[in-house]
Amino acid sequence: MRLRRLVALGLFVAFGSLAAGPTEQDKKWKKVRIDDDISFAMPEEPQATEKEQEELGIKLKLKIWAYETPDRKGVYMVAANKLPVAPTADQVADVLEGAAKGQFQGMGGTLVKSKEIKLGKNPGLESDGTVPIVTNGTAKSRIFVVGNSMYQ
């Protein structure tokens, strides 16, 4: 319970990607490495920011990479953080659900639907929701737990 609350409170600044994947114009995506084993790609070099916050007496460091499309109609975002402990198999669903709800609440939006997904053997959650900061805005979020790391 404490871990679920920690994640739900601690990830309100993380956003879901507004695009499903590369289009024809995005042929030369830039690869960005999070750590030795994890990397991602975006249409251009993203801006990286770090945010440190304290939740339930535990300091969390969240790193966010973001790229806004030139027409300002889409945003690609990736976030990574370390959890204080790796969630148990019984806690993973609650941790993922709390993080997804926190993402959409942080944008002033609403989580509409979610489904369980996997990245290899690692559990994840794909969610869709509304984003009121853009007229008729929607967002898609994918969150994965890998040990005591969370990638969004």
Side-chain angles (χ1 to χ4, degrees):
M1 175 66 173
R2 181 176 178 192
L3 183 61
R4 182 177 88 188
R5 181 169 171 215
L6 174 70
V7 171
L9 292 173
L11 297 177
F12 72 94
V13 297
F15 303 107
S17 172
L18 295 180
T23 63
E24 198 56 36
Q25 65 192 18
D26 297 327
K27 295 243 183 206
K28 297 181 181 177
W29 282 43
K30 307 291 182 195
K31 187 174 181 178
V32 179
R33 185 166 296 288
I34 294 176
D35 58 33
D36 291 340
D37 299 324
I38 306 290
S39 63
F40 63 90
M42 286 194 180
E44 295 291 335
E45 191 70 33
Q47 288 188 320
T49 58
E50 287 189 25
K51 179 175 181 166
E52 193 171 293
Q53 61 191 50
E54 190 170 319
E55 300 294 344
L56 303 175
I58 299 171
K59 287 187 179 181
L60 293 176
K61 186 182 278 188
L62 179 67
K63 187 154 185 182
I64 302 170
W65 295 265
Y67 168 72
E68 185 173 19
T69 59
D71 62 8
R72 301 183 60 89
K73 292 183 179 181
V75 177
Y76 296 84
M77 296 188 119
V78 172
N81 72 316
K82 296 285 186 191
L83 302 173
V85 296
T88 66
D90 292 340
Q91 295 171 320
V92 168
D94 287 341
V95 168
L96 290 167
E97 183 180 321
K101 285 180 181 176
Q103 285 178 331
F104 288 100
Q105 287 172 355
M107 293 184 283
T110 304
L111 177 65
V112 175
K113 65 179 181 177
S114 294
K115 68 177 182 178
E116 291 181 9
I117 57 175
K118 288 202 175 276
L119 179 63
K121 62 181 172 122
N122 301 296
L125 190 69
E126 180 177 282
S127 303
D128 295 307
T130 63
V131 185
I133 57 176
V134 178
T135 304
N136 297 320
T138 62
K140 180 174 290 292
S141 166
R142 293 182 186 102
I143 307 169
F144 298 95
V145 172
V146 181
N148 71 323
S149 296
M150 184 175 300
Y151 302 100
Q152 307 170 56

